[in-house]
Amino acid sequence: MDTTDICRMPGRVSLNAHLYHKGKIPDALRHLILDISRAAKYIQFAIRTTEAGLAGSINQYGEDQLKLDVLSDEIIRQHLSESRRVASFASEEHDEVIELDPSLPYSVAYDPLDGSSLVDTNFAIGSIFGIYEGATFIGKTPRDQVAALYVLYGPRTLLIYSTGNSVHEFILNEVGEFILLREFLGIADDAKNYSPGNLRAVNENGAYKSVMDGWLSRALTLRYSGCMVADVHHIVSKGQGVFVNVGGKKYPEGKLRLAFECGPFAYIAHHAGGLASDGHSDILDKKLFTIDQRTPIIIGSSNEVRAVCDVLSR
Ligand code: AHG
Ligand code: MN
Ligand code: MN
């Protein structure tokens, strides 16, 4: 029997219905994304109900872990393990890849809580996921992702996904379902907003100072919160802008990680018509050698990304 009629797109479109009709993906990937979205609901509940203290432990980068970092990581781990669609996964909070079952179809890289230093200020924070086909993503590039998504825990909880067929935005409703808010989001070629991460690097990185001076002289609008999910979402939501995080002399690769942060956002920016570069090459083509690999990133409106890269490479 042809199921197309029975499963016709309903008026109020759930994440599941959208993945089914517009995702153009196998059922296993649809179910994995739904399992991840379920984890995100528990995280947003934990954010509202958990005290914002330190967990008393440090992660692989020597950063203090918040209770919420640890809790969010555990929630995602549990959902990925129980999903039975994940061969292996790696989290920003751990220094090794967790291997579950090599016969399962996908591997996942995730940042359980991005912007966690902002928890006590009640600013927006997020979770980021990159999904690859096969038992491991090591040796692959972010272009090999079959899906990327992020969840923004702000005044509202939003989920944004791409499976290679543009970028779509969902809102968590009162009964705990992600419902379509906007679909086929695009990023225009020119930026009116700029988001300068690791700005302290201008003291040792003269090229970054020139970039900043350029933005100031052109009177672009500053939009920077300190949470990459919120700051890149600003670009996705407004349909234009540029986000930069580059290093200085001491840490030329900057702070942000290719597997957990830059790779998934590069995939989403690309499928919204934007660009993501490390200053020289497309982030989508950078090979993942280790899980803790860092990269500079310039992401957003293509003309502005190219212009920033030009100045940085002078
Ligand atoms: P995390 O909380 O996962 O460690 O990541 C925080 C990141 C990112 O979200 C943000 O863009 C960047 O740190 C902010 O760095 P600066 O404060 O140095 O600009
Ligand atoms: Mn992060
Ligand atoms: Mn994090």
Side-chain angles (χ1 to χ4, degrees):
M1 182 174 53
D2 180 6
T3 54
T4 350
D5 272 349
I6 304 169
C7 300
R8 201 176 290 142
M9 190 87 135
R12 194 192 73 237
V13 182
S14 67
L15 177 59
N16 187 24
H18 201 271
L19 287 164
Y20 182 89
H21 290 280
K22 307 268 176 80
K24 300 187 173 170
I25 47 171
D27 281 345
L29 181 53
R30 176 166 58 91
H31 286 293
L32 172 56
I33 293 172
L34 292 172
D35 288 338
I36 290 173
S37 76
R38 210 164 293 126
K41 295 176 201 175
Y42 282 91
I43 295 173
Q44 72 88 31
F45 179 75
I47 291 167
R48 283 196 282 124
T49 53
T50 310
E51 53 174 305
L54 294 176
S57 47
I58 56 168
N59 68 10
Q60 55 170 320
Y61 310 100
E63 300 159 348
D64 285 324
Q65 287 177 306
L66 291 169
K67 287 194 181 100
L68 273 173
D69 277 322
V70 175
L71 196 55
S72 307
D73 189 54
E74 281 170 5
I75 291 169
I76 294 167
R77 259 172 182 252
Q78 190 189 343
H79 281 77
L80 293 182
S81 306
E82 290 172 359
S83 120
R84 293 290 298 149
R85 282 155 190 114
V86 178
S88 71
F89 63 81
S91 160
E92 189 219 53
E93 295 299 329
H94 295 282
D95 55 6
E96 57 191 18
V97 176
I98 308 293
E99 282 162 19
L100 296 172
D101 179 344
S103 70
L104 296 173
Y106 300 108
S107 48
V108 180
Y110 67 92
D111 181 350
L113 207 59
D114 177 71
S116 50
S117 70
L118 301 172
V119 166
D120 55 348
T121 67
N122 202 25
F123 274 31
I125 51 182
S127 303
I128 314 167
F129 302 85
I131 305 177
Y132 296 79
E133 217 161 40
T136 179
F137 60 83
I138 299 297
K140 298 193 171 174
T141 68
R143 199 181 288 283
D144 295 324
Q145 287 169 112
V146 289
L149 62 144
Y150 62 86
V151 181
L152 176 64
Y153 314 104
R156 303 177 185 92
T157 298
L158 303 177
L159 182 150
I160 286 76
Y161 91 85
S162 179
T163 50
N165 181 28
S166 194
V167 175
H168 316 288
E169 180 187 47
F170 295 78
I171 183 164
L172 187 61
N173 73 5
E174 285 293 312
V175 296
E177 193 167 15
F178 281 105
I179 298 295
L180 181 65
L181 203 55
R182 290 182 288 182
E183 58 182 352
F184 299 101
L185 296 175
I187 298 175
D189 296 341
D190 294 313
K192 291 182 254 177
N193 297 152
Y194 69 106
S195 197
N198 194 26
L199 196 55
R200 61 183 82 73
V202 297
N203 295 318
E204 20 180 78
N205 181 339
Y208 193 21
K209 175 140 191 349
S210 306
V211 170
M212 183 70 196
D213 289 342
W215 288 328
L216 288 171
S217 68
R218 286 157 54 210
L220 266 63
T221 301
L222 173 69
R223 288 290 180 268
Y224 188 75
S225 75
C227 167
M228 187 182 189
V229 174
D231 292 326
V232 177
H233 180 68
H234 193 280
I235 298 172
V236 172
S237 179
K238 299 288 186 191
Q240 55 75 24
V242 65
F243 171 94
V244 174
N245 192 302
V246 294
K249 280 204 185 79
K250 201 166 164 198
Y251 301 109
E253 300 298 294
K255 171 183 178 185
L256 299 176
R257 283 140 286 218
L258 182 59
F260 310 120
E261 290 157 328
C262 300
F265 277 121
Y267 182 91
I268 284 171
H270 173 79
H271 288 291
L275 259 188
S277 172
D278 68 356
H280 306 283
S281 45
D282 198 314
I283 297 276
L284 288 178
D285 296 319
K286 293 193 76 154
K287 200 164 177 173
L288 285 146
F289 295 105
T290 59
I291 62 168
D292 60 351
Q293 200 171 325
R294 295 171 192 262
T295 178
I297 185 167
I298 303 102
I299 183 170
S301 295
S302 58
N303 287 343
E304 190 63 27
V305 170
R306 288 195 194 95
V308 170
C309 293
D310 274 355
V311 176
L312 289 177
S313 58
R314 264 182 221 151

